[in-house]
Each structure stands twice: as C-alpha cells, then as structure tokens.
Amino acid sequence: MTHDNPNPDALLGLGFGFWASKALLTAIELDVFTLLGEHPHRMEQLRDRLGLQQRGTKDWLDALVSLGVLERAGDTYANGVEADAFLDRNKPTYVGGLLEMANARLYPFWGSLTEALRTGQPQNEAKFGEDFFAALYQEPLRLEQFLHAMTGISLGAAHAMAEKFPWDEHSTVVDIGTAEGCLPVALALRHTHLTGGGFDLPTVAPIFEKYVAANGLANRLRFHAGDFFTDPLPDADVLVMGHILHDWGLDQKLLLIGKAYAALPVGGALIIYDSVIDDDRRANTFGLLMSLNMLIETQEGFDYTGTECKDWLASAGFRHSYVEPLVGPDSMVVGIK
Amino acid sequence: MTHDNPNPDALLGLGFGFWASKALLTAIELDVFTLLGEHPHRMEQLRDRLGLQQRGTKDWLDALVSLGVLERAGDTYANGVEADAFLDRNKPTYVGGLLEMANARLYPFWGSLTEALRTGQPQNEAKFGEDFFAALYQEPLRLEQFLHAMTGISLGAAHAMAEKFPWDEHSTVVDIGTAEGCLPVALALRHTHLTGGGFDLPTVAPIFEKYVAANGLANRLRFHAGDFFTDPLPDADVLVMGHILHDWGLDQKLLLIGKAYAALPVGGALIIYDSVIDDDRRANTFGLLMSLNMLIETQEGFDYTGTECKDWLASAGFRHSYVEPLVGPDSMVVGIK
C-alpha cells in the first residue's frame, strides 16, 4: 500500500478478494479448463457444454480474462498458458485437485474464521464429529485423485530440491508421507545413483506403485507401509518430510523429528519442507495464512519459522541445520545428524 | 501472469485469495481497527480485548501485517495508514460498513456462485423469500449505519466528480438515490454557487438532513422524497445516478434514464457513475466482478460498458455523451440533453 494520499482502494480490493478467488474456484468446479483444453470454445458453446444459463456467465468468463486466467479473441475463449498447463484435468501437471478441495471445503469453512479465533477449534468436518481425511483414505478412487492433486502441489518443490541439495553425497532417500511418490520420483529421475522410496499408510501402496512404475523407477524406489506415529521410520541416508509437520502440534512435531533422527546414520540428513514462515513473520503471507488454515483444519497444527524448526532439530540432536528457499512460498529446513 | 516458465503459483494464489480476504473481513467484524485506533496494543492485550484465545491469533495478526493492513513493532500492533483512516469506526472516513456486509452476507452468498450461474437466480436472502434491503429500510439505526457506509464508498468518486465536471456552467444538482447525501455535500462544499439536494425513499430524509446540517449546507441542499420508479424525478440542471443503474435490468435502466431526460432542461446533464466496464471487457476486473455480484444480489441487475451506457443515453434523446474515469474502478458517463 502507498501512503502519500491514503485511499481505501487497496483495502476494498483485499476485502472483496474473495470474488475473484471464487470466480476461479467455480471455473475449476465446472471444469472449464479441461473443456477448453480440448479446443477453444465460443461463448454459447461453452455455456451449453457447461449447462449454464445466460445471466452473469459472460461477466464471469470476462472476469477470468481480465485476471489472465482465460484468453479471449472475439467471442471465443481459450485457456491462458498457466490455466492450460495446471488446470486441465487431462494434463499430468494438473493442480486443480487442491483447488477443488478449497472450493468444496475450505471456502465455506473459512467463513467461520471468527469462530475459530474465538474457540481455537477446527471449523471443518470435525465440528460435526466427522474426519474428512480418515474417510478419504477409505475410498481408493477419491484417495488416488487427492494424492495426485498433492503431486501437482509438490512438483515444483521436488524439482527445486533435486537441484538445491547435495544429492551426490548420499545414496538413499525415503520420503515420509509420500502420497504418489512425487518427490522420490523427481529426485531419482534427476539423480540416477539414488535409491529409496516412500513411506505412507498401507492404503497408499498401490497408488504409489502405479506412479513409480509409470515413471520407470520400480527397480529403484519401493513403498514402505506404516503409520509415522506408531511405526519406526525406514533407514535411509536422507529422510524427507514435506507438508507433514505443519499438520501437528509441537509435541508431535518433536516426536516425528526425533524418530527421523533415530533412523538416520551419522552424516545423514532430515529435509523438512513447508511454507516456512520468515523469522520476522512479516513477509511470507501464504505461510502465515497456511498456519491459520491449520487452525481451521486441525486440532493443534501450525506452520513455523525457519529458526523455530532449526531449534527443534537442535533439540533432537542434529548437529547442524540450515534453511533454503525452494519455490514460491516453500522452503526446506535441512538438519544434518 | 508471466509465461516464460509457467508455474502454478499465480493460480494457486488467486484460488486461495479468499484466505487473505476473509482474514481482513474477520478483523473488521471483530473491530480490530477501531480498537487500535485508540492506541497500539500488545498481542495479549489485543487478544483479551477481542475475546480471542491463543491458537492462530498471532498468525492472523501477522498475516495482516504481511498484507500491509497492520503494523507491528516488537510485540505491539498498530493500524497501518489506510486501515487507520478507513477501518476505524470512530473516523468519518470509515468504509468498513460495506465490508461488514461483505463479510456477513456476500462471502457466504458467493459460495453459491456455481448455482447462480446454473440458475440465473439470486443467491442472497431472496432464496428464502426475504428482501434484505426492504428490511434494512425499516430499521432506522441499521439504515443509518448502512447509508453511512455508502458515504465511505462514494466519497472518492464524489471528490473526483467535483473536479472533473464543468460545474461552473450549471446552478442546480440533484443526486438520485442519494443516501446520506455524500455526493451533493461534496459538490456543494467545493462549488459554493451550487444548490440542489438529494432524492431517496422517505425513510432516508432524517439521515440526509442530519448529514447535510452537520456539513453546514441545510440552506443550499434539500431532501426530495420519492420512489424513482413511481414518482417523477426533481427538476435540476444536473441529475446524478451513482451505483444505482447497475442494480436493475435493461428495461428499468432505460426507464430511469428516460425519466432523467424528461426532468432535465435543454443543456442539462445526467451523470451516471458505477464501476463502468471497459469497452473491451478485459481490464476492469472489479467492474466485471461487481456485475457478477448483481447476479448474486438482484433479479436482473448487471454492470455495463461505457459504450453500452452511451447507447442508452442516445436512445433516450441525449444529444452528446462521454465517459470519464473518476477514481479506482469507478467512471462517470455524462449525457448532455
């Protein structure tokens, strides 16, 4: 914001920011980008294919044009470059799964943010005695879609981590809470000497194995079934925990870091990555809001600064640690045993 | 968005934009900025005064710091310059009323945007057979707060219009749908030869008269009670319709423009202002989304481009018209009879 001649435009833009956000989320819900991934459509075709009536539809599409999400030539709409790469369900780089969940679940749940701050209680299905994620893990098809969405989200960080860590000094890596195996696959494709795999709940096994085989890595990466609270972690030179620690309270965070320390050899590394908050807590807006999302979604979870995480690593016995940015709001915190 | 090396960050930022938006709206709901308008508060004081528990509260406040809304020194939070001017309820420049309404009503209603596009039907209280605005106009205190919020929203446009129209060529002005009278007061304060007033529903009279008297203009501005669909409009050299036309369908828009034409002298002017959409419908995001908000809030309302509005003015008989930007997303369309 600029302060020379204060005006309320920036505040109004922020306050009404949910309009643009919901316009995009509804487009993902209606699968506009998959349809336009087939070929550009004229307005009326698009309306017919989407089952929409006339009122407001052009405003909505043109708002997405003005936001750079869609492109329009004459009366014909096409995907913008990013939307085509990341919101067309038929492309492997689809990240819409997370935004589908944001639309269906988080948008309404965040409507209770005030109550969350007053009570400290989650505002998701837990309010009604349900456990969304437990239910998700019981439904193989939905679980596969969800874990694939996680791949879309983690791919950028995985590629960055493949470049920014001295993998030539290590032979084996296991990703804790691996989902499809996005991270170990990216690492193994880039560094052909690496072997290892991923650790996750047993129901994830076939989904991991399918993804790894599709990437031709079944001979180098294998699945380790387990629960990271009740089972020991696999041995490896490097263990990775991505978008895991922030789901849990401090005691559980320390427990997980301690279990990683126990599983690593001397000289081994634990790589933690999340939307790590800057130490002064005034730059990484997404990380701060992600932490607030942990209030909405979990009993005790929170995001954290690099220094907080380094302190936890030190208290678990790691002799050295450092923070390095990966991509977007994500950074990794590396602890060396 | 940049396309050299497509990444999903901009799409994810837009899709999750409701997080930052709701963080601000909740702060307005809890009246954080009025409290900090008294004096800066330490975190714990602030939490106590707001009745909040510990979990997530610091994340929420620091997210507002990262967004430039709040400032923080050590553990002490203060309003940013804009928040202090526009979100402290005790200042005359408060615009939070509109955002309070956005928080309490529009945020949940926009959750049904997909249904709105499928059905073309409003998604506000009308879904349940209620009429929010009719009820509002029956409650004097709430109405006064609402109309005062409208003043906050219109003040910037009113000041711009005071500079950007040749008021020295005209003697009288009446603002149609005037609310508190923000616009005629701004014009009359800047141009001491102007007289006139505001036209609105009869229940608005005492609120208008209080605001006009507080500005020392009771001798130059008077209230005209009426319904702009059933009563003739007052005579004046200049009639103004601000944030009015977009609430209505095309037939009613044309009816209102025709009634203004009938009331004006030859050489008189109708000034229409709204978040006028650029003719190519690809620049004024707020105007396009405001039009989508008319889908959510009204039976037939929509926003429009400058050229559309000029066409309507021409069809009503206005001999000349032009579009001129005012402030932020608002422009005025001027028709000369």
Side-chain angles (χ1 to χ4, degrees):
Chain A
M1 299 191 184
T2 57
H3 305 309
D4 291 348
N5 191 5
N7 78 61
D9 289 350
L11 291 171
L12 292 170
L14 181 59
F16 284 100
F18 67 91
W19 285 1
S21 178
K22 191 62 178 71
L24 175 61
L25 295 178
T26 277
I28 292 164
E29 179 183 353
L30 291 170
D31 230 356
V32 169
F33 309 104
T34 304
L35 191 55
L36 293 178
E38 296 171 9
H39 57 76
H41 281 64
R42 298 194 57 197
M43 231 276 280
E44 294 197 6
Q45 291 179 299
L46 195 49
R47 220 167 54 206
D48 286 349
R49 289 286 301 271
L50 298 174
L52 303 182
Q53 50 70 59
Q54 187 158 358
R55 196 170 167 236
T57 300
K58 188 163 167 53
D59 294 329
W60 166 63
L61 293 170
D62 287 342
L64 293 171
V65 170
S66 75
L67 289 162
V69 177
L70 293 180
E71 294 175 0
R72 191 194 65 217
D75 189 26
T76 299
Y77 293 83
N79 285 335
V81 174
E82 281 81 10
D84 202 56
F86 301 110
L87 299 178
D88 174 355
R89 193 182 294 279
N90 293 327
K91 298 211 169 69
T93 43
Y94 182 66
V95 301
L98 192 73
L99 293 171
E100 289 171 54
M101 198 170 82
N103 182 56
R105 301 179 60 251
L106 298 180
Y107 184 92
F109 297 156
W110 271 70
S112 304
L113 175 61
T114 308
E115 183 179 341
L117 291 170
R118 284 188 172 132
T119 64
Q121 292 303 309
Q123 301 299 315
N124 65 0
E125 295 85 355
K127 253 175 120 166
F128 312 104
E130 297 159 23
D131 183 333
F132 173 78
F133 290 99
L136 180 68
Y137 276 73
Q138 299 304 316
E139 294 181 48
L141 185 61
R142 273 183 69 211
L143 178 61
E144 181 165 0
Q145 290 168 344
F146 173 75
L147 297 181
H148 186 61
M150 294 302 102
T151 291
I153 292 307
S154 301
L155 206 54
H159 286 305
M161 195 186 295
E163 302 306 321
K164 294 188 174 192
F165 183 80
W167 292 107
D168 54 344
E169 299 171 13
H170 303 275
S171 302
T172 57
V173 56
V174 175
D175 181 34
I176 309 300
T178 196
E180 277 197 316
C182 162
L183 183 89
V185 165
L187 298 177
L189 288 174
R190 175 73 180 78
H191 301 282
T192 52
H193 71 285
L194 283 177
T195 59
F199 177 95
D200 213 317
L201 295 169
T203 48
V204 175
I207 299 167
F208 175 92
E209 282 158 3
K210 181 175 161 189
Y211 183 80
V212 167
N215 281 278
L217 291 166
N219 60 334
R220 288 165 54 207
L221 300 177
R222 76 177 187 87
F223 189 76
H224 302 260
D227 175 322
F228 49 53
F229 286 121
T230 53
D231 297 308
L233 300 183
D235 293 337
D237 297 341
V238 182
L239 294 174
V240 182
M241 293 181 181
H243 302 152
I244 295 292
L245 278 195
H246 76 154
D247 288 335
W248 307 101
L250 181 57
D251 289 350
Q252 290 154 309
K253 283 175 164 73
L254 294 173
L255 175 69
L256 291 173
I257 290 171
K259 291 179 85 158
Y261 184 84
L264 288 169
V266 171
L270 169 61
I271 305 178
I272 292 165
Y273 77 94
D274 257 318
S275 296
V276 176
I277 299 167
D278 54 301
D279 284 342
D280 202 26
R281 294 175 59 90
R282 59 173 83 240
N284 189 350
T285 301
F286 189 81
L288 290 160
L289 291 170
M290 178 60 86
S291 193
L292 206 50
N293 192 52
M294 293 300 109
L295 169 66
I296 299 284
E297 280 270 47
T298 72
Q299 286 292 341
E300 298 186 336
F302 62 92
D303 288 75
Y304 45 85
T305 66
T307 292
E308 286 176 306
C309 190
K310 290 174 63 176
D311 287 348
W312 303 333
L313 289 166
S315 75
F318 286 90
R319 64 183 165 81
H320 170 62
S321 66
Y322 62 94
V323 182
E324 186 154 345
L326 289 173
V327 67
D330 273 350
S331 294
M332 64 178 174
V333 186
V334 178
I336 308 293
K337 177 166 175 176
Chain B
M1 299 193 184
T2 57
H3 306 308
D4 291 348
N5 191 5
N7 79 62
D9 289 350
L11 291 171
L12 292 169
L14 181 59
F16 283 101
F18 67 91
W19 285 1
S21 179
K22 192 61 179 72
L24 174 61
L25 296 179
T26 277
I28 292 165
E29 178 183 354
L30 291 170
D31 230 356
V32 169
F33 309 104
T34 304
L35 192 56
L36 294 179
E38 296 170 9
H39 57 75
H41 281 64
R42 298 192 57 197
M43 230 277 278
E44 293 197 7
Q45 290 179 297
L46 195 50
R47 220 168 52 208
D48 286 349
R49 289 285 302 272
L50 298 174
L52 303 181
Q53 50 70 58
Q54 186 157 357
R55 196 170 167 237
T57 301
K58 188 163 167 52
D59 294 328
W60 166 63
L61 293 170
D62 288 341
L64 292 172
V65 170
S66 76
L67 290 162
V69 177
L70 293 180
E71 293 175 1
R72 191 194 65 217
D75 190 24
T76 299
Y77 293 83
N79 285 334
V81 174
E82 280 80 11
D84 202 55
F86 301 110
L87 299 178
D88 174 355
R89 194 182 294 279
N90 292 327
K91 298 212 168 69
T93 42
Y94 183 66
V95 302
L98 192 74
L99 293 170
E100 289 172 53
M101 198 169 82
N103 182 56
R105 300 179 59 250
L106 298 181
Y107 184 92
F109 297 156
W110 271 69
S112 304
L113 175 61
T114 309
E115 184 180 340
L117 291 170
R118 285 188 171 132
T119 64
Q121 293 301 310
Q123 301 299 315
N124 65 1
E125 296 85 354
K127 252 174 119 165
F128 313 103
E130 296 159 25
D131 183 333
F132 172 78
F133 290 99
L136 180 68
Y137 276 73
Q138 300 302 318
E139 294 182 48
L141 184 62
R142 273 185 69 213
L143 179 61
E144 181 165 359
Q145 290 169 343
F146 173 75
L147 297 182
H148 186 61
M150 295 302 102
T151 291
I153 293 307
S154 300
L155 206 55
H159 286 306
M161 195 187 297
E163 304 306 321
K164 295 189 174 191
F165 182 80
W167 292 107
D168 53 344
E169 299 170 13
H170 303 276
S171 301
T172 58
V173 56
V174 174
D175 181 35
I176 308 301
T178 195
E180 277 198 315
C182 163
L183 183 88
V185 164
L187 298 177
L189 289 174
R190 175 71 180 79
H191 301 283
T192 52
H193 71 285
L194 284 177
T195 60
F199 178 95
D200 213 317
L201 295 170
T203 48
V204 175
I207 299 166
F208 175 93
E209 281 157 5
K210 180 175 161 189
Y211 183 79
V212 167
N215 281 280
L217 291 166
N219 59 334
R220 288 167 52 207
L221 299 177
R222 76 176 187 87
F223 189 75
H224 302 259
D227 176 322
F228 50 53
F229 286 122
T230 53
D231 297 309
L233 300 183
D235 293 338
D237 297 340
V238 182
L239 292 175
V240 182
M241 292 180 182
H243 303 152
I244 295 292
L245 277 196
H246 77 152
D247 288 335
W248 306 102
L250 182 58
D251 290 348
Q252 290 154 309
K253 283 175 164 75
L254 294 173
L255 175 69
L256 291 173
I257 291 172
K259 290 179 84 158
Y261 185 83
L264 289 169
V266 172
L270 170 61
I271 305 178
I272 292 165
Y273 76 95
D274 258 319
S275 297
V276 176
I277 299 167
D278 54 300
D279 284 341
D280 202 27
R281 293 175 60 88
R282 59 174 79 240
N284 188 350
T285 301
F286 189 82
L288 289 159
L289 291 170
M290 178 59 86
S291 193
L292 205 50
N293 192 52
M294 294 299 109
L295 169 66
I296 300 283
E297 279 271 48
T298 71
Q299 287 292 341
E300 298 186 337
F302 62 91
D303 288 76
Y304 44 86
T305 66
T307 292
E308 287 175 307
C309 190
K310 289 175 63 175
D311 287 347
W312 302 333
L313 289 165
S315 75
F318 287 90
R319 65 183 165 81
H320 171 62
S321 66
Y322 62 94
V323 182
E324 187 156 343
L326 290 172
V327 67
D330 273 348
S331 294
M332 64 178 174
V333 186
V334 179
I336 309 293
K337 178 166 173 176

